[in-house]
Amino acid sequence: MPASERRSAARTAVVWDALLPVLDVGGASGDVLDIGGGTGGFAVRVAELGHRVLVVDPSPDALAALDRRARERGVADQVVGQQGDLSSLLDVTGPDSTDLVLCHGVLEVVEDPAAALATIATVLRPGGVLSLLVAQRHAAVVARAMAGHFQQARAMLDDPEAGGRPGRRFTREELTGLLAAAGLEPTAVHAVRVFADLVPGSLLDLEPGATAALVELEQAVAERPEYLPLATQVHVLATK
């Protein structure tokens, strides 16, 4: 496995661990909406588990890659790609139409996170689940400081949009408030990429078993609150 794939496995293992129990509904298929799902890194695997997946993404190139991947994996009849974004979501799918929404790496770039979560709550069926993955601000402050960008790090302490890169970063407390305002109840919070972004790719290349050990370490700290401020991302499951 190439180093890029090994690193990707380490970065996504915790999210998959949280999602698989939600997707395992006694053999029943559900309706899954993947917002910003791009080339189908999550969508195709979800379809392989027997679910119907609608991917909404603004990039026609990404949707074309999604179609190719779905065909190669034999799930083209279960995956639909639709050009759009969160602002046009209700034009693509209706209220109470979805059992599970994947919103990974999207809330950071929307104009109004509160309105975006309210829209997601609208399309979820009662009892439906949101899988929300966002950039976490505390770790971003540390990363900016370690890169020598001390003024950016200082600005990010109190400003979710500071830091020299586009997009917001969130704290757990900010997410909890936004979800509550949208009528969504968090049921689990996970630290994602506590160590994976710090480990040199060469180590994963050269050290036998390093990727598996890194994945185990990420899984071991995912639900330990003391490690959450160190995580590059925060993953939240929330129910309607």
Side-chain angles (χ1 to χ4, degrees):
M1 182 189 297
S4 60
E5 291 184 24
R6 287 194 289 272
R7 188 176 292 276
S8 177
R11 287 172 168 170
T12 59
V14 167
V15 178
W16 278 115
D17 285 348
L19 282 177
L20 288 175
V22 178
L23 293 164
D24 182 13
V25 287
S29 61
D31 295 307
V32 179
L33 171 63
D34 189 352
I35 303 168
T39 60
F42 275 85
V44 169
R45 184 172 171 185
V46 170
E48 289 176 327
L49 295 172
H51 300 280
R52 298 173 295 274
V53 187
L54 171 62
V55 177
V56 177
D57 194 280
S59 169
D61 291 339
L63 292 174
L66 164 71
D67 182 66
R68 288 193 298 273
R69 178 179 286 187
R71 292 181 184 280
E72 290 170 359
R73 302 281 282 270
V75 292
D77 59 336
Q78 294 167 252
V79 178
V80 175
Q82 176 69 50
Q83 191 170 1
D85 55 29
L86 260 169
S87 65
S88 60
L89 194 59
L90 289 173
D91 297 329
V92 176
T93 187
D96 300 330
S97 60
T98 304
D99 299 300
L100 170 65
V101 171
L102 308 181
C103 183
H104 297 168
V106 175
L107 200 66
E108 296 95 320
V109 297
V110 300
E111 200 168 305
D112 187 340
L117 288 173
T119 299
I120 290 172
T122 299
V123 303
L124 275 172
R125 292 175 176 139
V129 176
L130 165 64
S131 172
L132 181 65
L133 183 65
V134 300
Q136 198 261 129
R137 190 155 85 242
H138 300 311
V141 171
V142 174
R144 296 280 77 69
M146 290 180 66
H149 303 307
F150 305 121
Q151 291 180 334
Q152 291 180 7
R154 177 63 183 87
M156 289 181 69
L157 291 176
D158 303 306
D159 183 353
E161 296 185 59
R165 295 181 183 177
R168 296 176 178 84
R169 289 89 176 166
F170 297 88
T171 65
R172 176 178 181 166
E173 293 73 21
E174 289 165 347
L175 289 176
T176 300
L178 286 166
L179 289 165
L184 299 167
E185 181 181 356
T187 57
V189 179
H190 306 101
V192 176
R193 293 162 60 181
V194 176
F195 305 107
D197 292 351
L198 304 176
V199 174
S202 58
L203 188 150
L204 299 183
D205 277 336
L206 300 174
E207 188 71 26
T211 299
L214 176 58
V215 167
E216 289 181 7
L217 181 59
E218 291 280 357
Q219 292 167 327
V221 302
E223 296 187 35
R224 296 193 181 192
E226 64 268 31
Y227 286 92
L228 188 62
L230 305 177
T232 299
Q233 294 174 304
V234 178
H235 179 242
V236 182
L237 291 178
T239 59
K240 180 177 177 179

